[in-house]
Amino acid sequence: GKRAGIIDVPGHEKFIKNMLAGVMGIDIVLLVVAADEGVMPQTSEHLAILDLIGVEKGFVVITKADLVDEEWLELVKEDILDEIKGTFLEGAPIVPVSSTEGRGLDEVRTLIDNLTLELGDREVDDMPRLPVDRVFSLPGFGTIVTGTLLSGKLKVGEEIQVFPGNRIGRIRSLQVHEQDTDIAYAGQRVAINVAGLKKDEVYRGDVVAPINSMKETSMLDIKLKLIKSV
C-alpha cells in the first residue's frame, strides 16, 4: 500500500557521474550483485560512495541466481560479506533472486516495506532545495527539470531561482510519479514544468530553490574522509 520511488543507477565505472546524480536523496539502498559475475570493481566504488554520503539503510540483492549452482552462490555471498564488512550494510540481509523464476522477489518487497517503517520524516518546513539531475523539453509544455526534493516543499505558481546564477522562473505544474500535484514534499521524486526558462538555461547539478534563498561563494567548509582503497 505504500508508494516508493525507485532510482536505477548505472553500474558501469564509466557512468559514475550518472550514479552520483541519481543516488543523492536515496533513503534505502539495494546493492545489486550479479550471481554470475560476483563483486566487481564498480561494486566497491558504489559502496564507498554510499558510505561517504551517509546512507544508513539497505540490503544486498544477488540477481540471476538461477544461472549458478548453490556452491557458487555461497562463494558469491562470502565475497559480498567481505566487501560490506565495516560499512553500513554489514549485517544486512543478502537475498538471492531470479526474475525468471520469481525467486526471492517477495522477500525483497517485504524488506523494503519493513525498512520504510524505520525512516524518519523529511524536513518539509525547511527551505526547498532540488538538485537538478535531468533537463528536457516537451512540445506544448516547455522546460522540464527533475530531481529529488531534499527539503521543504514546492507549490504550483511559486517563483523559483536556479542556482548558481540569476535565472528566475515560475512553477507552471508539478508531477510526482507521473501524477499532477499542487504541492511536492521533501523526499519525493519531482518533475517541475518551469515557465520562463529555456532548456539550455538549466543544467544537471544546478539547484532549484526560492528566489534569493542562497548566495554564491568562493569558499567551502569541508569534512574529508578517505576510503579504504585510497
Side-chain angles (χ1 to χ4, degrees):
K2 300 184 183 73
R3 171 173 283 177
I6 298 176
I7 303 172
D8 180 20
V9 300
H12 198 278
E13 60 185 351
K14 290 183 178 179
F15 302 109
I16 286 294
K17 287 184 179 180
N18 288 352
M19 181 267 183
L20 278 167
V23 80
M24 297 303 296
I26 284 179
D27 294 305
I28 299 169
V29 166
L30 278 64
L31 184 69
V32 177
V33 177
D36 57 341
E37 294 180 335
V39 174
M40 303 290 283
Q42 54 265 37
T43 308
S44 303
E45 291 178 344
H46 285 200
L47 191 55
I49 290 168
L50 294 168
D51 229 15
L52 288 170
I53 65 175
V55 178
E56 296 179 348
K57 300 187 184 300
F59 57 95
V60 182
V61 177
I62 303 177
T63 57
K64 305 180 184 178
D66 56 297
L67 298 184
V68 299
D69 57 32
E70 288 301 316
E71 185 177 355
W72 180 265
L73 194 59
E74 287 303 314
L75 291 173
V76 172
K77 285 183 181 179
E78 288 178 15
D79 282 346
I80 292 171
L81 287 171
D82 287 339
E83 190 66 33
I84 63 178
K85 189 174 182 179
T87 74
F88 73 101
L89 286 178
E90 184 174 5
I94 300 175
V95 186
V97 303
S98 166
S99 57
T100 55
E101 298 175 349
R103 173 184 175 184
L105 297 181
D106 286 340
E107 187 176 353
V108 167
R109 293 189 189 99
T110 299
L111 284 168
I112 294 172
D113 195 37
N114 290 341
L115 283 173
T116 61
L117 300 175
E118 301 175 14
L119 297 176
D121 294 332
R122 293 284 184 130
E123 298 295 335
V124 296
D125 294 323
D126 279 2
M127 183 187 78
R129 288 183 302 124
L130 184 137
V132 176
D133 56 36
R134 199 158 61 105
V135 186
F136 58 95
S137 60
L138 290 174
F141 291 92
T143 303
I144 311 288
V145 301
T146 70
T148 301
L149 187 56
L150 297 184
S151 59
K153 49 184 178 284
L154 295 173
K155 299 178 182 179
V156 170
E158 288 182 333
E159 287 194 322
I160 53 91
Q161 184 171 347
V162 178
F163 295 89
N166 190 33
R167 293 158 287 167
I168 306 296
R170 180 178 55 83
I171 300 176
R172 178 182 290 155
S173 61
L174 292 166
Q175 278 197 352
V176 175
H177 295 284
E178 299 184 351
Q179 292 187 359
D180 291 334
T181 183
D182 291 329
I183 305 176
Y185 296 94
Q188 294 180 325
R189 288 287 300 170
V190 183
I192 309 174
N193 182 198
V194 183
L197 289 175
K198 298 178 181 178
K199 175 188 170 185
D200 58 5
E201 292 181 286
V202 188
Y203 305 93
R204 170 184 284 177
D206 287 343
V207 176
V208 172
I211 294 176
N212 296 325
S213 59
M214 294 189 285
K215 293 182 179 180
E216 295 181 26
T217 178
S218 59
M219 301 181 70
L220 288 172
D221 288 329
I222 68 167
K223 186 180 289 185
L224 184 65
K225 179 182 177 181
L226 295 178
I227 60 176
K228 294 178 182 177
S229 60
V230 173

